[in-house]
Amino acid sequence: MHLEHLRRLNGPNLYLARPVVIARLDLGELTGRETTDFPGFAERLVAALPGLAEHHCSAGRPGGLLTAMARGTYFGHVTEHVTLELSAMIGRDVCFGRTVSAEAPGHYDVILERPVDEPEESPVVGCLIDLAIRTVTGLLNDGDVAFDAELAALAATYERTSLGVSTAALATAARRRGIPVRRVDDLNLLQLGHGRHRRTVWAAMTDRTSAIGVEAAGDKMLTKRLLEGAGLPVPEGVVVTTAAEAVAAFEKIEAPVVVKPLSGHQGENVWIELTDAGEVAAAFHAASAEGGAALVEAYVPGRDHRVLVVGDRVVAAAELNPARVTGDGRSTIADLIAAANTDPARGEGHDRPLTRLALGETERAHLTRQGLAPDSVPNPGQVVTLRRNANLSTGGTSKDVTDRVHPDVVRLCRRVAATVGLDICGIDLRLPDIAAPLPADAGASGVIEVNASPGLRMHLAPYEGRPRDVAADIIDRLYPPGTSGRVPIVAVTGTNGKTTTVRMIAHLLAQDGRRVGMTTTDGVYVGGELVYRADASGPLSAAMVLADRTVDAAVLETARGGIVRRGLGYDRADVAVLTNITDDHLGVDDIATVEDLVEIKALVAEEIRRGGHLVLNADDPRTAALADRPRVRDREPVVRYFALSASAPRVEEHLGAGGIAYFVEDGALTEACGTGRSRILPAADVAGSFGGLARHVIGNALAAVAAARALGMPADLVARGLRTFDPYDLNPGRGCTFRVEDRPVVVDYAHNPAAVAAVGELMRRVWRRDGVAAVTLPGDRCDELVIDTARAVARSFGRVVVYEDEDLRGRRPGEMARLITRGLVDARPDVRVHPAGDLKDAVGIALGVSTPGEPILLLYEKLQPVMDLLDALGAASPPDAR
């Protein structure tokens, strides 16, 4: 058994609304074998991983996996559960798993939940699956499995690449408010919100944090001068660059003093309450080791406190105590430190609520000053401090005192934050009592430091006292209560008409001044301008639009490929539009039937916000039936059907229940609610509809009207938008007509049976005569679908020019031409087939076999070569075709 490949889906997907990884397993020699074929295996597995006994499996209760193994289950399923158990053992909290058969015998897809903020490129999940495979195969062969060391290394990697405590709390607080969150790579950097509401946070620093404030807080002497100039209490201090200057400053200030780096952080190399010149000189050398300068300042007596200010509010306060252990009369100090470090709440750096206690040079020197050593045995109850400073980063602990902060202290801290210029700051104070008025005596209290991007863990999880949800305070500062941080999202999917409908909706929304971000198969557009040229109908392009701070609304083409391979690019849409679901992409991405396509497209309908809008094609039974799916009904959507006629059964039923629908009535696009009717505009006035003759264009327009009205667009602006939707400028390559040598040439991207039939019907309705078709079809469809599409061509055209695109999509030269010809002849034995070498040759042949005034249909794969060729031929777009 081995792992073939991994695929990560970052957004809502076919399996879960959260990220998953799909591991393709080849069971090899275990193909067709079950757990019951290997006596004793299940017992050995559970002995190695006792937690598996609690796995529910499909039974929905603890012990379900044991039952399944006793009954007999395949080894892809077993590997799924082993991976989940190993994941739990390293603190990687996920619970969803599913194993499904892949197409090839012995191949299975193991779908496993991923932590929502796990970096996409994290190696952890791949290593866990590999370890699970080795564990299963090792136990099958009666071998010993030893994974403790490997699992410990994976745990360290997972912890190192996870969000820090502060950033994780901010992500949780934002999601609790319904605000979108996206982690950037493996950084502690979050993008919050969408479009014009997007904000960025990096730990407790935001995109509103003043760069000047950060610089001022990072320079301790500058901070001191700013605060002193504002009349705020700060200890006297001197910047020194040599040991002699440090001693002179000590003699000037008088003992005791503090020596610390000029721009240090996390309490590193801070020396407190020094009373001897030799100590000061030694402290200078340690404090200035990196920067060449240090700060000598007066020692302020009292207790250490950290006050967190967000905006102009004091939201939390903590009393800090230095790293310490408490004697038991038996253990040495070194033993007490080791015992304290077994607390799972202690870790390295800022990844856990507490930091591991150290026994380094600083701690040993501090013990010596107390007449102690690492091998000393403190008396029962004796508190031994390991450092003088009380920073959490050096093993200190915090006690919440928020409710005790005196109003004088609140006013002081608000002035400090305003003076330095920080929207979020942590203020270090030394005070006799934070609950009392500020002492009147100089030097009896003071602001020791001001911290930009302060750590939040001392408030989120204090060692003593009540936790404070300070992350929520920061999120409320960025997004006042009642705001969502979102812009309206319209997601459009289906088989045919997606791109046209997306472009129509975007154009309609722009009529009332909205700056629209749009993704389509030809690129990403913002405000009508192409900003990224690509096939941009997947999640990466959606994320690009939603991250653009100028966007007021997003209209996202949401294609099958992106859904299958990466999931959705958004968490939920306000409006979901499904144009139709017909045969296409069969044979791609394990899609065998149109029912498989329905399952994929349905995700767009299922992942709308509760109470959102669902626009469905009532003329297409598969699409209309999506409203009946349980996961769709669970969203309590406002369903808006559209159809070419009010007589569509779904429309009549829906209107009878008081629902909303859109259709053509008396020659006009009409909005109906129950028995009420509202005329939008004549169908003949829809730009690009050939005076209303292009029924598929009218269908797309009805879908666009429904979406725009769902977002509150006034009907008159909707009508104006449909009249001005010039396809040559706004929808190139979709039903655009050009005149070449007195022949109308219709350029269209139809590439499946339904689309070809619609274009063929249009040409018969407009020109009322036979025409010529010059066709190519995409090579990544299955043979039967290519043949079916060619049959649809033959039903409308008796003369067909067949050419192959430059991109054969994996086909051999000539293979597609043979398949297309086969389909043409199969549907119409008398069809005249004209082979062509390439696009230019095909157009030339089509012009040659047609007569003046006879229409030509040109199907293509890539639009730009078509436009270049038409330009070279002197083609023009006739005014009546617009």
Side-chain angles (χ1 to χ4, degrees):
M1 178 167 57
H2 68 274
L3 172 65
E4 285 197 344
H5 59 76
L6 290 177
R7 180 156 46 92
R8 293 171 172 85
L9 281 63
N10 295 326
N13 52 76
L14 299 174
Y15 308 99
L16 202 63
R18 301 182 297 279
V20 299
V21 63
I22 302 178
R24 175 66 58 87
L25 297 187
D26 180 353
L27 298 191
E29 295 179 355
L30 293 175
T31 299
R33 309 293 298 277
E34 296 189 348
T35 50
T36 49
D37 295 332
F38 298 86
F41 166 74
E43 291 75 11
R44 294 194 298 275
L45 181 63
V46 175
L49 295 167
L52 291 174
E54 298 299 312
H55 283 219
H56 288 213
C57 198
S58 58
R61 54 175 172 75
L65 176 62
L66 299 184
T67 301
M69 288 196 294
R71 187 174 57 242
T73 190
Y74 48 91
F75 286 94
H77 182 213
V78 173
T79 304
E80 167 205 324
H81 281 273
V82 172
T83 306
L84 288 172
E85 181 59 24
L86 293 173
S87 183
M89 292 171 69
I90 67 169
R92 188 173 173 270
D93 187 22
V94 293
C95 59
F96 174 85
R98 180 182 298 170
T99 302
V100 297
S101 176
E103 282 191 330
H107 288 69
Y108 287 86
D109 283 337
V110 177
I111 301 101
L112 299 163
E113 181 183 0
R114 290 169 47 217
V116 66
D117 292 314
E118 183 173 79
E120 182 173 2
E121 300 305 318
S122 170
V124 171
V125 64
C127 292
L128 285 170
I129 294 169
D130 181 67
L131 181 56
I133 291 171
R134 286 187 278 117
T135 299
V136 170
T137 53
L139 290 171
L140 281 172
N141 296 322
D142 296 326
D144 293 329
V145 292
F147 44 67
D148 289 351
E150 191 170 349
L151 213 55
L154 282 175
T157 300
Y158 176 66
E159 187 166 321
R160 185 177 65 253
T161 57
S162 295
L163 289 176
V165 173
S166 297
T167 312
L170 289 166
T172 298
R175 291 189 174 107
R176 194 165 55 237
R177 284 271 312 274
I179 296 165
V181 177
R182 187 173 78 86
R183 183 182 185 182
V184 179
D185 297 329
D186 60 352
L187 305 173
N188 273 306
L189 179 65
L190 303 177
Q191 287 184 353
L192 307 179
H194 288 157
R196 63 188 179 90
H197 302 300
R198 186 170 74 79
R199 300 285 180 266
T200 307
V201 298
W202 193 316
M205 185 161 56
T206 80
D207 52 17
R208 294 182 177 179
T209 300
S210 163
I212 294 175
V214 172
E215 289 295 320
D219 185 327
K220 292 179 172 56
M221 195 61 201
L222 176 56
T223 302
K224 189 185 296 291
R225 288 171 180 161
L226 290 172
L227 298 182
E228 191 174 36
L232 295 163
V234 293
E236 180 183 0
V238 179
V239 176
V240 296
T241 58
T242 66
E245 289 179 359
V247 171
F250 160 69
E251 293 172 347
K252 173 188 175 185
I253 294 173
E254 297 184 355
V257 298
V258 174
V259 178
K260 56 188 178 184
L262 189 59
S263 57
H265 63 286
Q266 299 183 357
E268 294 178 359
N269 288 316
V270 176
W271 303 82
I272 296 175
E273 209 171 350
L274 305 180
T275 58
D276 176 81
E279 287 182 326
V280 170
F284 167 79
H285 288 298
S288 63
E290 294 185 5
L295 180 62
V296 179
E297 66 180 17
Y299 173 75
V300 179
R303 300 172 181 170
D304 286 294
H305 297 89
R306 164 66 65 84
V307 177
L308 181 65
V309 178
V310 177
D312 62 351
R313 295 176 55 233
V314 169
V315 298
E319 182 179 314
L320 306 180
N321 292 299
R324 54 187 173 175
V325 292
T326 302
D328 59 10
R330 302 183 306 276
S331 306
T332 66
I333 293 174
D335 291 337
L336 293 170
I337 291 173
N341 285 335
T342 62
D343 183 350
R346 290 192 181 273
E348 301 294 339
H350 291 276
D351 294 328
R352 300 192 189 181
L354 298 173
T355 299
R356 290 172 61 86
L357 300 178
L359 188 53
E361 180 182 347
T362 301
E363 289 77 14
R364 292 173 184 273
H366 184 66
L367 290 175
T368 299
R369 295 188 58 174
Q370 300 173 79
L372 299 169
D375 58 358
S376 300
V377 179
N379 295 324
Q382 180 183 351
V383 175
V384 177
T385 59
L386 304 176
R387 279 178 170 254
R388 288 188 174 183
N389 65 304
N391 297 72
L392 264 64
S393 56
T394 57
T397 58
S398 64
K399 174 183 177 181
D400 179 72
V401 293
T402 305
D403 294 333
R404 299 185 63 243
V405 180
H406 191 275
D408 284 357
V409 179
V410 170
R411 286 189 287 271
L412 168 69
C413 292
R414 291 174 62 185
R415 288 187 62 209
V416 169
T419 299
V420 177
L422 289 171
D423 60 334
I424 301 168
C425 68
I427 301 170
D428 292 339
L429 302 170
R430 283 186 70 85
L431 299 166
D433 185 357
I434 201 168
L438 292 172
D441 297 339
S445 65
V447 178
I448 307 303
E449 284 188 19
V450 177
N451 300 275
S453 189
L456 305 181
R457 61 177 178 157
M458 68 181 70
H459 309 297
L460 295 165
Y463 190 70
E464 300 177 67
R466 171 186 163 191
R468 304 286 172 168
D469 191 2
V470 293
D473 292 303
I474 293 173
I475 297 299
D476 287 347
R477 169 75 175 170
L478 295 172
Y479 297 99
T483 60
S484 68
R486 296 175 177 270
V487 297
I489 296 175
V490 182
V492 180
T493 196
T495 302
N496 294 315
K498 295 188 300 296
T499 300
T500 297
T501 303
V502 163
R503 290 167 171 171
M504 277 186 172
I505 295 170
H507 182 64
L508 297 186
L509 294 180
Q511 300 308 300
D512 66 351
R514 302 190 202 203
R515 185 171 172 84
V516 181
M518 175 179 72
T519 66
T520 71
T521 50
D522 67 340
V524 175
Y525 293 77
V526 175
E529 297 294 327
L530 179 65
V531 298
Y532 178 69
R533 187 183 298 279
D535 182 349
S537 57
L540 296 180
S541 52
M544 189 183 301
V545 162
L546 295 173
D548 191 305
R549 293 191 184 216
T550 70
V551 165
D552 296 312
V555 185
L556 310 174
E557 183 171 346
T558 309
R560 162 211 51 83
I563 295 174
V564 171
R565 296 167 196 155
R566 297 185 68 90
L568 297 178
Y570 57 88
D571 57 347
R572 58 178 186 262
D574 297 273
V575 183
V577 180
L578 285 97
T579 59
N580 47 68
I581 306 175
T582 65
D583 290 352
D584 200 359
H585 296 101
L586 303 184
V588 181
D589 292 327
D590 296 333
I591 299 170
T593 67
V594 71
E595 286 70 28
D596 293 337
L597 276 176
V598 171
E599 291 302 313
I600 294 168
K601 306 288 187 179
L603 182 66
V604 175
E606 293 167 346
E607 292 300 329
I608 60 172
R609 64 173 172 82
R610 189 168 300 281
H613 299 263
L614 185 57
V615 178
L616 300 175
N617 185 351
D619 286 331
D620 177 36
R622 295 188 185 97
T623 303
L626 295 178
D628 303 326
R629 294 172 71 95
R631 286 184 59 185
V632 172
R633 291 201 307 269
D634 182 61
R635 296 294 185 176
E636 301 175 356
V638 177
V639 177
R640 297 170 180 257
Y641 284 112
F642 69 94
L644 291 176
S645 169
S647 62
R650 277 274 181 170
V651 169
E652 290 183 336
E653 178 185 351
H654 192 57
L655 292 177
I660 304 172
Y662 301 82
F663 43 80
V664 178
E665 187 172 72
D666 297 330
L669 275 63
T670 302
E671 178 182 76
C673 182
T675 59
R677 297 289 191 274
S678 178
R679 182 184 175 98
I680 303 294
L681 86 164
D685 289 356
V686 175
S689 71
F690 294 83
L693 295 177
R695 292 161 57 87
H696 61 289
V697 175
I698 297 300
N700 294 334
L702 288 166
V705 170
R709 294 287 286 157
L711 293 181
M713 278 282 295
D716 61 328
L717 293 183
V718 170
R720 184 176 75 186
L722 290 179
R723 287 190 177 97
T724 58
F725 184 70
D726 184 346
Y728 296 87
D729 295 330
L730 301 174
N731 196 29
R734 264 67 176 180
C736 294
T737 303
F738 299 86
R739 190 161 295 281
V740 181
E741 299 180 5
D742 294 327
R743 291 163 176 80
V745 177
V746 179
V747 177
D748 201 88
Y749 185 59
H751 54 275
N752 57 58
V756 167
V759 178
E761 178 194 6
L762 164 66
M763 296 183 69
R764 288 192 302 272
R765 288 166 65 90
V766 173
W767 285 279
R768 300 183 181 277
R769 59 187 298 186
D770 290 340
V772 177
V775 305
T776 186
L777 295 174
D780 59 355
R781 272 58 165 183
C782 67
D783 290 359
E784 190 57 38
L785 182 57
V786 173
I787 292 170
D788 280 347
T789 307
R791 289 175 180 142
V793 172
R795 293 186 188 103
S796 296
F797 301 92
R799 288 161 293 163
V800 182
V801 182
V802 178
Y803 74 100
E804 290 187 335
D805 189 72
E806 291 182 3
D807 183 2
L808 297 177
R809 301 198 189 189
R811 296 281 188 171
R812 296 184 302 274
E815 184 179 3
M816 285 298 295
R818 287 191 293 272
L819 286 173
I820 294 171
T821 301
R822 175 180 163 187
L824 293 170
V825 174
D826 181 64
R828 191 168 182 169
D830 63 343
V831 68
R832 282 182 282 171
V833 179
H834 301 272
D838 57 14
L839 170 66
K840 181 179 180 181
D841 189 25
V843 172
I845 293 174
L847 290 169
V849 301
S850 62
T851 59
E854 190 171 26
I856 297 171
L857 172 63
L858 176 58
L859 302 185
Y860 65 91
E861 270 287 274
K862 293 181 176 62
L863 179 59
Q864 193 57 51
V866 172
M867 301 308 295
D868 292 343
L869 176 60
L870 291 176
D871 185 59
L873 293 173
S877 56
D880 59 347
R882 291 176 180 265

